[in-house]
């Protein structure tokens, strides 16, 4: 039953992978990529390259460029600027936070590598954000899917796994026991970005007693009727998946009396894997 | 040293006032055979009280200074903040000590801390944005969050009326949000090689929405409320190919759209019976209409210069006044124009003779 659902992200990634993008900056400057950050789901990458030139990742047309603090109707531009390039593949690359005054707003047609603008100075505390948007499917795509792979041999980190019910929270450890009932499984996992900052993983799997119960691939995010949704296979509302502190919630999971084997597998985009298994006594 | 500084400031204020008096009292500009501009008063904002009681308030914000004055030139309240303030006639917004933003009543009472980024007023309503530029947060007059709405991609155009919010996105989608935060409509204008929304205007009633969209070719599209939905009621192709935000505005009973073009400000009748130009250079503009005189006032902003154009709709120009170089804000109510800078506010009335 689950196979067709699991095929969705696989096909999605395969199709997206046919579109080739170049990194708009040196990938070693990546601070964060596609995941929960600062109170909401960030649908792009954050680049920490003070004063560096941001370049076009593929051929296309500059369709929008503005470095005024606000749009005419008053809406604030994110980090003071917004630029968007429409690419021949139907994808768009979108940039926020480019230094005001440096935007190449004169451009029409854009070639791969053309300068779009300059990243903010370090003293500003601001960063350029880079988004990849599929204008045919009306969804943001994890930029990693389209960009050349980075060398990465470090597995993700699992900080904690807890069961939560109301205000009760039990952190899993060796020999832990949990009362029977419905619990939310809460996972705090991250993958270190090239700049050594906690970023989002690419896949989370939860296996209970040998059967895969949850499988989340951080591949896409979109808004529909004003609500933010995540992950192409599940289309889960953002507010239902992430807790306020950014941990991912799965469930509810019904626990019945006896011994339960719980395995959590976290994978990054390079395929590095971290896996933990707990034997849990349910009372 | 302090005394000489004070003298210099006083001298600067007196000179500004003298220049304004000379400009408007001694050199009144003849607008037309039956409309002329008269200066009523100019007052200094430097000696204003911290907080005075009073009736109807008109908001101003000029650089770091903000506050309220009355139509007869009484200054209620002037304050200063390095980044300036967002202000409406009933409340204002300032950065709070916690790092966010606080909403204050016009009387200076702190009402609430606002969520989101860069809060602002539109159609008298308070809104804020999000770090990624895709979400609009709407607040009631007490600063309580009413709703948050996520658009499909980053907003490239925004406008609001008292009953409708409309956002246009970089991928060419227009979405309207009703008072309760639910989607009123979603529309992809298309019809161009490249999709993008560059400007949007909502009519005061919320019944009509205009948008400048696309590149190769650029379009002006007008939607009208029909039944429970919004549908295209007229459209036209434009000669422009802007790739930056552009201003649009409804005029006079929602019959005309004003839009930016290379040779001036275009005036287009949404029923297709009017296609004219106000030949005044304007990178940005605002417009107000006085039904009492059937006269509209266009403030054209171009390269730091502000020009006030009085015209009878759709596009018969009655006259132009160049506002002083230092003008930092302009507010038109009826046929009264309030304008000024961080130190002075003045009133200019258009009167029929």
């Amino acid at each position: 039953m689950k196979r067709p659902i699991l095929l969705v992200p696989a096909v999605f990634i395969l199709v997206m992978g046919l579109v080739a993008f170049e990194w708009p900056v040196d990938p070693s400057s990546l601070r964060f990529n596609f995941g929960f950050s600062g109170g909401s789901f960030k649908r792009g990458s954050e680049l920490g390259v003070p004063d560096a030139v941001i370049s076009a990742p593929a051929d296309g047309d500059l369709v929008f460029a503005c470095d005024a603090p606000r749009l005419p109707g008053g809406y604030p531009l994110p980090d003071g600027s917004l630029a968007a390039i429409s690419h021949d593949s139907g994808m768009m690359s979108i940039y926020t936070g480019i230094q005001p005054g440096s935007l190449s707003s004169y451009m029409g047609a854009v070639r791969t590598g053309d300068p779009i603008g300059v990243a903010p100075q370090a003293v500003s505390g601001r960063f350029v954000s880079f988004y990849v948007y599929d204008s045919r499917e009306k969804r943001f795509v994890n930029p990693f899917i389209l960009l050349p792979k980075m060398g990465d041999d470090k597995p993700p980190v699992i900080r904690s796994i807890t069961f939560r019910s109301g205000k009760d929270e039990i952190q899993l450890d060796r020999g832990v026991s949990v009362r029977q009932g419905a619990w939310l499984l809460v996972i705090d996992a991250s993958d270190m970005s090239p700049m050594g900052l906690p970023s989002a993983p690419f896949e989370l799997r939860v296996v209970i007693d040998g059967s895969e119960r949850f499988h989340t691939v951080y591949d896409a995010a979109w808004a529909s009727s004003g609500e933010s949704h995540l992950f192409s296979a599940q289309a889960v509302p953002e507010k239902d998946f992430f807790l306020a502190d950014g941990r991912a919630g799965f469930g509810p999971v019904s626990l019945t009396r006896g011994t339960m084997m719980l395995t959590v597998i976290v994978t990054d985009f390079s395929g590095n894997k971290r896996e933990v298994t707990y034997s849990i006594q349910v009372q | 040293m302090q005394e000489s500084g004070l003298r210099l400031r006083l001298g600067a204020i007196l000179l500004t006032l003298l220049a304004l008096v000379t400009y408007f009292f001694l050199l009144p500009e003849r607008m037309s055979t039956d409309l002329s501009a008269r200066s009523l008063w100019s007052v200094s904002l430097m000696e204003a009280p911290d907080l005075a009681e009073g009736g109807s308030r008109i908001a101003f914000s000029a650089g770091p200074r903000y506050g309220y004055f009355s139509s007869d030139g009484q200054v209620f309240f002037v304050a200063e903040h390095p980044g300036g303030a967002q202000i409406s006639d009933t409340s204002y917004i300032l950065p709070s000590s916690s790092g966010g933003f606080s909403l204050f009543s016009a009387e200076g009472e702190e009402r609430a801390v606002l969520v989101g980024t860069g809060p602002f007023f539109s159609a008298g309503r308070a809104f804020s944005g999000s770090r990624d530029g895709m979400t609009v947060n709407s607040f009631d007059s007490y600063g309580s969050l009413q709703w948050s709405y996520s658009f499909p991609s980053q907003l490239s155009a925004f406008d609001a009326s008292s009953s409708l919010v409309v956002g246009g996105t970089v991928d060419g989608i227009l979405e309207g949000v009703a008072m309760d935060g639910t989607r009123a409509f979603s529309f992809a204008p298309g019809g161009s090689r490249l999709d993008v929304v560059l400007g949007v205007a909502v009519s005061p009633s919320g019944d009509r929405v205009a948008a400048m969209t696309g590149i190769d070719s650029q379009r002006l599209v007008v939607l009208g409320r029909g039944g429970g939905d919004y549908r295209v009621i007229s459209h036209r192709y434009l000669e422009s190919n802007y790739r930056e935000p552009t201003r649009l505005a409804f005029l006079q009973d929602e019959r005309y759209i004003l839009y930016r073009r290379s040779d001036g400000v275009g005036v287009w009748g949404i029923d297709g019976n009017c296609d004219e130009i106000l030949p005044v250079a304007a990178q940005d503009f605002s417009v107000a209409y006085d039904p009492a005189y059937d006269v509209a006032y266009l403030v054209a902003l171009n390269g730091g210069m502000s020009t006030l154009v009085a015209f009878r709709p759709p596009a018969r120009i009655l006259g132009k006044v160049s506002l002083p170089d230092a003008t930092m804000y302009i507010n038109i109510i009826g046929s009264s124009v309030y304008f000024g800078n961080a130190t002075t506010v003045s009133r200019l009335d258009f009167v029929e003779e």
Side-chain angles (χ1 to χ4, degrees):
Chain A
M1 281 296 285
K2 277 185 182 171
R3 276 195 185 149
I5 296 171
L6 294 180
L7 272 176
V8 173
V11 171
F12 179 75
I13 292 164
L14 194 69
V15 171
M16 287 295 112
L18 297 175
V19 181
F21 269 23
E22 296 297 323
W23 280 93
V25 290
D26 183 342
S28 65
S29 65
L30 183 78
R31 287 172 53 87
F32 185 86
N33 186 61
F34 209 78
F36 193 91
S37 168
S40 63
F41 192 88
K42 188 171 183 70
R43 303 172 198 187
S45 305
E46 192 171 270
L47 311 168
V49 279
D51 282 325
V53 172
I54 310 295
S55 52
D59 294 354
D61 286 271
L62 185 77
V63 295
F64 188 83
C66 179
D67 58 7
R70 293 177 185 274
L71 294 171
Y75 190 84
L77 287 184
D79 287 323
S81 72
L82 174 63
I85 299 173
S86 179
H87 299 284
D88 304 338
S89 54
M91 308 300 283
M92 293 185 86
S93 57
I94 300 167
Y95 313 79
T96 65
I98 285 177
Q99 211 176 103
S102 75
L103 257 180
S104 302
S105 49
Y106 57 88
M107 288 201 294
V110 172
R111 307 287 303 199
T112 307
D114 279 354
I116 305 302
V118 176
Q121 295 173 326
V123 290
S124 72
R126 289 178 170 182
F127 304 99
V128 168
S129 290
F130 167 68
Y131 301 84
V132 176
Y133 182 76
D134 183 346
S135 54
R136 288 168 304 195
E137 296 294 325
K138 304 294 176 201
R139 57 177 57 177
F140 285 88
V141 176
N142 187 332
F144 276 179
I145 296 171
L146 283 85
L147 292 165
K149 270 197 176 180
M150 291 183 295
D152 175 14
D153 56 4
K154 292 184 187 122
V157 176
I158 298 174
R159 287 204 199 88
S160 67
I161 301 168
T162 58
F163 276 120
R164 189 180 202 183
S165 176
K167 286 180 181 173
D168 292 343
E169 200 160 305
I170 298 169
Q171 184 157 339
L172 298 194
D173 208 339
R174 224 178 269 175
V176 72
S177 64
V178 182
R179 65 177 159 74
Q180 65 179 355
W183 294 82
L184 185 71
L185 180 65
V186 180
I187 299 174
D188 185 5
S190 64
D191 187 42
M192 286 298 155
S193 72
M195 290 197 80
L197 299 166
S199 186
F202 187 65
E203 272 186 271
L204 287 172
R205 288 169 191 264
V206 177
V207 179
I208 297 175
D209 292 332
S211 166
E212 185 172 278
R213 290 287 302 276
F214 304 104
H215 182 190
T216 296
V217 180
Y218 284 51
D219 56 355
W222 64 97
S224 173
S225 295
E227 281 209 0
S228 177
H229 292 79
L230 308 171
F231 318 135
S232 60
Q234 291 110 323
V236 57
E238 180 184 331
K239 61 181 169 50
D240 294 349
F241 186 74
F242 285 107
L243 277 57
D245 58 13
R247 292 180 296 167
F250 298 87
V253 178
S254 285
L255 303 184
T256 51
R257 196 173 292 185
T259 303
M260 184 186 87
M261 296 300 288
L262 173 78
T263 301
V264 173
I265 306 158
V266 184
T267 313
D268 67 17
F269 194 74
S270 299
N272 301 303
K273 198 180 285 184
R274 176 83 65 182
E275 182 175 332
V276 291
T277 300
Y278 294 100
S279 171
I280 299 160
Q281 294 300 316
V282 182
Q283 298 175 340
Chain B
M1 282 294 280
Q2 273 186 340
E3 199 174 315
S4 68
L6 191 67
R7 274 186 195 154
L8 271 173
R9 270 171 69 179
L10 272 172
I13 293 164
L14 282 172
L15 269 176
T16 309
L17 285 172
L18 189 66
L20 285 167
V21 166
T22 310
Y23 192 80
F24 290 109
F25 283 90
L26 303 181
L27 302 169
E29 187 152 345
R30 199 76 188 157
M31 303 299 293
S32 72
T33 51
D34 54 5
L35 193 74
S36 52
R38 283 188 185 168
S39 181
L40 289 196
W41 47 256
S42 278
V43 294
S44 166
L45 298 171
M46 301 304 282
E47 309 302 327
D50 283 342
L51 197 60
E53 295 298 319
S56 182
R57 289 159 187 252
I58 300 168
F60 80 93
S61 177
R65 310 197 91 206
Y66 61 94
Y68 296 96
F69 59 87
S70 69
S71 57
D72 59 1
Q74 183 194 357
V75 179
F76 293 123
F77 163 49
V78 176
E80 214 170 299
H81 188 276
Q86 293 291 313
I87 192 162
S88 77
D89 289 345
T90 57
S91 46
Y92 61 92
I93 300 166
L94 284 177
S96 68
S97 51
S98 61
F101 290 88
S102 290
L103 180 82
F104 294 83
S105 70
E107 290 76 30
E109 176 199 351
E110 184 171 359
R111 286 181 165 166
V113 173
L114 305 179
V115 298
T117 61
F120 62 102
F121 292 100
S122 182
R125 301 166 62 184
F127 299 98
S128 71
S130 60
R131 286 196 316 152
D132 57 13
M134 290 181 245
T135 299
V136 174
N137 305 301
S138 172
F139 305 93
D140 66 15
S141 56
Y142 294 95
S144 299
L145 181 67
Q146 291 177 305
W147 48 258
S148 294
Y149 188 96
S150 290
F151 286 83
S153 63
Q154 275 81 1
L155 286 172
S156 50
F158 176 92
D159 198 22
S161 73
S162 57
S163 59
L164 184 72
V165 167
V166 176
T169 65
V170 291
D171 70 317
I173 302 290
L174 274 171
E175 286 200 352
V177 188
M179 284 290 283
D180 60 358
T182 58
R183 191 171 79 178
F185 69 89
S186 180
F187 178 66
S192 307
R193 183 174 68 86
L194 300 166
D195 293 327
V196 61
V197 179
L198 297 150
V200 68
V202 184
S203 68
S205 69
D207 286 342
R208 285 176 178 166
V209 174
M212 187 183 283
T213 68
I215 294 169
D216 294 340
S217 297
Q218 216 144 63
R219 294 175 76 199
L220 193 55
V221 181
V222 182
L223 308 180
R225 192 186 339 233
D229 204 0
Y230 284 77
R231 295 171 191 167
V232 175
I233 54 174
S234 62
H235 82 104
R236 61 165 295 182
Y237 282 99
L238 304 170
E239 289 173 10
S240 59
N241 249 339
Y242 293 117
R243 294 166 196 257
E244 62 192 24
T246 57
R247 179 79 66 176
L248 294 175
F250 277 94
L251 180 66
Q252 198 201 15
D253 301 332
E254 312 181 353
R255 284 166 56 195
Y256 302 107
I257 297 288
L258 270 63
Y259 65 97
R260 180 183 169 192
R261 47 187 290 166
S262 60
D263 50 0
V265 174
V267 182
W268 189 52
I270 61 167
D271 53 8
N273 64 359
C274 169
D275 185 7
E276 304 208 30
I277 304 165
L278 292 165
V280 53
Q283 289 167 331
D284 194 8
F285 65 86
S286 61
V287 68
Y289 175 66
D290 183 1
Y293 289 165
D294 186 29
V295 173
Y297 301 98
L298 176 85
V299 179
L301 306 169
N302 199 44
M305 299 289 293
S306 306
T307 305
L308 183 60
V309 181
F311 67 100
R312 184 146 284 143
R316 186 164 75 86
I317 291 184
L318 304 174
K320 293 181 191 175
V321 175
S322 294
L323 293 172
D325 288 356
T327 301
M328 296 170 83
Y329 78 93
I330 302 159
N331 189 357
I332 302 173
I333 301 170
S335 280
S336 301
V337 182
Y338 304 92
F339 66 97
N341 52 34
T343 59
T344 311
V345 62
S346 306
R347 175 175 170 178
L348 177 71
D349 273 17
F350 288 91
V351 289
E352 271 191 324
E353 290 182 338

